[in-house]
Amino acid sequence: MQMAAEGGGKELNEIKTQFNTREGVYKLLTHSEYSRPNRVPFNSQGSNPVKVSFVNVNDQSGNGDRICFNVGRELYFYIYKGVRKAADLSKPIDKRIYKGTQPTCHDFNHLTATADSVSLLVGFSAGQVQLIDPIKRETSKLFNEERLIDKSRVTCVKWVPGLERLFLVAHSSGNMYLYNVENTCGTTTPHYQLLKQGKNYSVHTCKSKSTRNPLLKWTVGEGALNEFAFSPDGKFLACVSQDGFLRVFNFDAVELHGTMKSYFGGLLCMCWSPDGKYIVAGGEDDLVTVWSFVDCRVIARGHGHKSWVSVVAFDHYTTSVEDADPMEFNGSDEDFQGLHFGRDRANSTQSRLSKRNSTDSRTVHTTYRFGSVGQDTQLCLWDLTEDILFPHLPLSRTRTHTNVMNATSPPAGGEVAGDIVNNVSNNPSTNDSGANTPSNSLSSPLPRSNSLPHSPAMTANNKSSAIASGVSKFATLSLHDRKEQHQETDHKRNHSMGHISSKSSDKLNMLTKSRTDPAKTLGTPLCPRMEDLPLLEPLICKKIAHERLTVLIFLEDCIVTACQEGFIWTWARPGKVGLSSQKQAVSPSGTII
C-alpha cells in the first residue's frame, strides 16, 4: 500500500494492511479487492457514497455468494469469492451504467434468492426505485418513474423482513414510503389520508379508488432521514435523521417506543445488536452512542474517530456470551464455523445472548463487538462489555434516567398499520403487541448483508404483520440545504469535529437550529452530558484508506470495507487466509444499460 501524501509523520499516515486484536491478526487480502474492472480510482467529487450488498443464492457449487456495489453512475454484480480465491473483475455477472441519475443504495431479497434468479432493489439520486434481476439481466419494474411520489434522492431502501413483496424507501426529503411490488404507481400525484399521528410523527394512507403505491407514508421528526433498519425480529423500526434523533417505532401499533438525541449534529448511521437489546448510532458528533432498547436510555458513548462516523455495524460472529470463564479468542477455525455465513454460530450466539435474561444463577460474561468507519478514513473496533451493560449500583446513579418520551408497550389490538398491510399482502396477522423487546425471538440466520436479516426461516405465517408495516418518515430538508451540507462535509472530513461546544457544532446545527435547540436537550435523558456516561475507547483505530470510508460489513470469515474511490476490500479473520495465488484479469466486460 502507498503512503498518504499529506499529513505529519510516517506512522500516522501509513495505510494499514493488517491489525491485531485478542482474536489474532486480521489481514487485508489484496487479490480479493473488488472495484471497477479498470481498477482506476473513481473521482468521487459530488457523487453518492459507494454501497455494498451481499446475497447467497445457495449455488450447488458451493460458491453461492454474490456482491453488488455502486460506483458513480455504475452498478456491478459479481460472484464474491471472499478469502477463497482472487477476484476476477473481467467477468461481472451484470454491469449497468445509468444516464441522468446515479444509484444510491440497494438491497437483495434473501427470501426469494435462487441460483437462477434474485430480486434486487436499487434506489436512485433522482428518486426512482428499480427492481432488477442481475442474474437474468432483466429489469422488472420502475417505481416512482414520473417522480410524482417524491422527487428527492433515495437514501435507504430495504425489503420488509419475512415478506416477499413489500419494501420501504426513504428519501432525502424526509419522507418514507411502503411499496408493494405487485402494485402500480398512479399517473397523478398521490393524495393521502391521516391514519395516525403522535409526537413528531404522522402516518398517512394513500387515497385512491384502486390499490396503488405507496401503501403508507410516514413523516417523522425534522430533517432528512439518513438510515433505517429493522430489529432482528422485524417488529421494530429504528431510524436516524438529520435532526440528530434516533427514533424507534413499533410497527403494528405505529407507536413511538423511544428516542435519543446526538451530542450535536445529525445522526448518519445506526445498527441493532444481534439480540435486539442495543442500538449503536453514529454521526456528525464524531461519536458512537450506545442506546438500550429495553431501558430506552443512552448507556455509553465512544470516542475514537476524528470526523463524522459514516457506518456502524455489530459483529455477529465475535459478539458472545460465555458461562463462567472469560471470553477467549484464538482465531481457530472452530471459532467461525457454520453453515451459510456462520448460520450455526449466529444462532448459537443468539441463544446464548438470551440466557442473559434467564434466572440462572451461573456467572455469565457478555461482550458485544461492533465496528465503525468514518470520513477520517479510519476503522475502529469496539467491545461493549459487562461493566458497561450491567454496572454495579454505585456506578449506575447517573445512568438511571428513563426516556423523556415515555416509551410505552403498544396496546393489544393496536396493529393499525399491520392491519392495512395485511389486507394488501394477504399475510395472516398475529398479535405480538405485548412483546416490548425484540430480543426474545431472534429468528433467521444472518445474511451477508449490511441490512438486518431477511430469513428464509421467517414465513408469512409466523411473522407479525408488524413487519409488513415497515415505514417511517422524517421531515423536510431541501436539496439546496443538503448540497450546502455536503460542501461542508468535503472540506472538514479529515479533521476532528470535536464533541465539545465549538464553532463547528454551531455550523453543524444550523440546519435544525430553528426547530430543535440542542441546549434544551443536552443534560436531559435524551442527550446526557459527556461526564454522565462511560466513555468507550476503541480496541483498534486504524487508517485503512486514502478516501472516506462508506462500507463496513462483518461476514463469517472476513470483514468487508469500502471507500469512496470505489475499492471494496476483504480483511481475512484470524486463521481464515485461504486465498489462492491466481492472477486477476482486468479487462472490462458487462452489459451496459
Side-chain angles (χ1 to χ4, degrees):
M1 288 292 233
Q2 299 178 358
M3 306 290 291
E6 302 177 358
K10 174 181 177 181
E11 184 177 349
L12 291 177
N13 289 278
E14 183 180 358
I15 304 293
K16 304 298 181 183
T17 58
Q18 66 180 45
F19 55 86
N20 290 294
T21 66
R22 62 173 170 271
E23 306 96 272
V25 180
Y26 289 76
K27 296 181 180 180
L28 177 64
L29 303 180
T30 56
H31 291 293
S32 289
E33 179 181 282
Y34 286 78
S35 68
R36 297 187 299 170
N38 60 14
R39 295 189 179 277
V40 175
F42 176 69
N43 182 2
S44 60
Q45 199 70 18
S47 66
N48 292 286
V50 173
K51 298 288 182 69
V52 173
S53 297
F54 284 99
V55 69
N56 186 282
V57 298
N58 298 314
D59 191 344
Q60 296 298 322
S61 67
N63 193 20
D65 303 347
R66 303 291 182 265
I67 184 174
C68 173
F69 58 90
N70 60 288
V71 181
R73 297 186 298 117
E74 303 166 18
L75 186 75
Y76 293 93
F77 183 68
Y78 281 97
I79 294 175
Y80 179 69
K81 299 178 181 179
V83 303
R84 299 180 299 276
K85 294 182 179 180
D88 184 359
L89 300 185
S90 67
K91 298 178 180 179
I93 299 174
D94 197 7
K95 171 187 173 182
R96 301 178 182 229
I97 300 179
Y98 296 92
K99 294 181 179 179
T101 187
Q102 295 183 6
T104 59
C105 50
H106 30 83
D107 190 42
F108 286 107
N109 191 326
H110 297 268
L111 280 178
T112 61
T114 67
D116 301 318
S117 177
V118 65
S119 295
L120 176 68
L121 289 170
V122 184
F124 291 91
S125 57
Q128 302 95 334
V129 178
Q130 192 177 46
L131 176 62
I132 66 176
D133 187 331
I135 294 179
K136 294 181 178 179
R137 298 187 178 184
E138 295 177 352
T139 299
S140 300
K141 289 185 178 180
L142 185 60
F143 301 92
N144 192 30
E145 182 176 5
E146 302 299 325
R147 305 173 69 209
L148 297 172
I149 297 173
D150 202 303
K151 291 180 169 57
S152 64
R153 177 174 58 93
V154 176
T155 58
C156 191
V157 59
K158 285 186 171 69
W159 292 95
V160 177
L163 298 174
E164 297 183 2
R165 295 184 292 171
L166 301 183
F167 63 93
L168 285 168
V169 182
H171 292 257
S172 62
S173 64
N175 296 316
M176 187 154 123
Y177 306 90
L178 178 67
Y179 287 80
N180 186 323
V181 295
E182 303 297 331
N183 294 351
T184 60
C185 298
T187 56
T188 59
T189 302
H191 291 84
Y192 299 99
Q193 180 177 348
L194 180 65
L195 172 66
K196 191 169 185 180
Q197 65 183 131
K199 186 171 183 179
N200 292 322
Y201 79 95
S202 61
V203 183
H204 293 77
T205 58
C206 185
K207 289 178 61 177
S208 63
K209 294 181 179 179
S210 58
T211 303
R212 56 179 268 190
N213 285 318
L215 305 179
L216 291 175
K217 172 185 176 181
W218 283 51
T219 304
V220 179
E222 302 168 352
L225 167 70
N226 290 320
E227 187 175 18
F228 66 84
F230 293 98
S231 60
D233 62 5
K235 297 176 183 177
F236 292 85
L237 177 78
C239 50
V240 290
S241 36
Q242 197 59 38
D243 63 3
F245 278 90
L246 162 74
R247 295 179 176 90
V248 182
F249 293 91
N250 179 299
F251 263 177
D252 277 355
V254 196
E255 293 284 350
L256 184 64
H257 172 79
T259 187
M260 177 271 288
K261 176 70 171 62
S262 68
Y263 201 74
F264 72 76
L267 285 177
L268 306 177
C269 55
M270 56 75 53
C271 62
W272 291 84
S273 65
D275 56 2
K277 294 184 184 298
Y278 302 97
I279 293 174
V280 172
E284 295 174 354
D285 54 11
D286 304 354
L287 304 170
V288 292
T289 301
V290 184
W291 188 78
S292 168
F293 173 88
V294 177
D295 298 330
C296 290
R297 65 182 179 91
V298 178
I299 62 171
R301 291 192 181 103
H303 184 233
H305 286 283
K306 299 174 183 177
S307 188
W308 298 357
V309 179
S310 52
V311 183
V312 289
F314 274 88
D315 183 352
H316 297 74
Y317 306 97
T318 304
T319 293
S320 182
V321 174
E322 301 292 343
D323 294 336
D325 297 327
M327 291 181 58
E328 291 184 2
F329 301 90
N330 56 22
S332 65
D333 290 345
E334 288 77 8
D335 280 342
F336 304 101
Q337 281 182 351
L339 300 175
H340 303 298
F341 317 120
R343 191 167 293 179
D344 290 346
R345 179 175 173 79
N347 288 339
S348 175
T349 298
Q350 293 167 2
S351 64
R352 286 182 287 124
L353 283 168
S354 67
K355 277 202 265 180
R356 198 59 187 79
N357 282 342
S358 69
T359 56
D360 197 329
S361 60
R362 290 178 297 171
T363 302
V364 179
H365 300 276
T366 309
T367 299
Y368 296 84
R369 168 69 58 79
F370 67 92
S372 58
V373 295
Q375 296 189 4
D376 56 0
T377 71
Q378 293 193 115
L379 164 68
C380 292
L381 295 181
W382 314 77
D383 270 357
L384 189 58
T385 52
E386 288 226 335
D387 57 333
I388 302 297
L389 299 174
F390 314 107
H392 297 296
L393 187 59
L395 299 178
S396 63
R397 282 182 233 162
T398 60
R399 299 189 295 274
T400 55
H401 306 297
T402 54
N403 195 292
V404 75
M405 299 302 293
N406 290 330
T408 57
S409 301
E415 302 175 355
V416 181
D419 291 341
I420 291 176
V421 178
N422 181 55
N423 291 336
V424 177
S425 61
N426 294 322
N427 285 296
S429 171
T430 58
N431 188 355
D432 293 316
S433 60
N436 197 35
T437 166
S439 61
N440 295 331
S441 64
L442 271 168
S443 49
S444 99
L446 299 162
R448 303 189 83 145
S449 171
N450 212 16
S451 61
L452 282 157
H454 306 277
S455 167
M458 293 181 180
T459 64
N461 291 327
N462 63 20
K463 259 323 236 171
S464 165
S465 63
I467 301 172
S469 73
V471 220
S472 121
K473 135 65 210 185
F474 328 76
T476 56
L477 177 68
S478 71
L479 295 179
H480 175 69
D481 289 339
R482 191 76 182 173
K483 191 176 298 182
E484 289 179 341
Q485 173 198 337
H486 282 308
Q487 290 172 353
E488 186 167 22
T489 304
D490 286 339
H491 79 269
K492 288 192 175 184
R493 64 172 178 261
N494 290 324
H495 303 280
S496 173
M497 292 298 167
H499 55 270
I500 308 301
S501 176
S502 66
K503 292 182 180 179
S504 297
S505 66
D506 293 338
K507 291 181 180 179
L508 291 174
N509 284 306
M510 283 179 66
L511 294 177
T512 57
K513 187 176 181 181
S514 62
R515 300 172 183 172
T516 304
D517 186 355
K520 293 181 180 179
T521 59
L522 183 61
T524 70
L526 278 176
C527 181
R529 297 183 182 277
M530 295 296 293
E531 59 268 24
D532 291 340
L533 291 172
L535 186 63
L536 303 177
E537 294 184 359
L539 298 175
I540 63 105
C541 192
K542 303 293 184 183
K543 179 181 176 66
I544 62 170
H546 289 292
E547 260 291 347
R548 60 189 185 275
L549 295 164
T550 60
V551 170
L552 174 63
I553 302 175
F554 291 97
L555 304 181
E556 178 199 1
D557 47 17
C558 61
I559 299 175
V560 175
T561 62
C563 76
Q564 192 56 24
E565 287 184 317
F567 296 111
I568 293 92
W569 297 297
T570 296
W571 302 77
R573 290 185 185 269
K576 288 295 181 178
V577 181
L579 185 64
S580 70
S581 58
Q582 68 184 64
K583 299 295 182 181
Q584 299 160 306
V586 295
S587 59
S589 175
T591 302
I592 298 179
I593 293 181

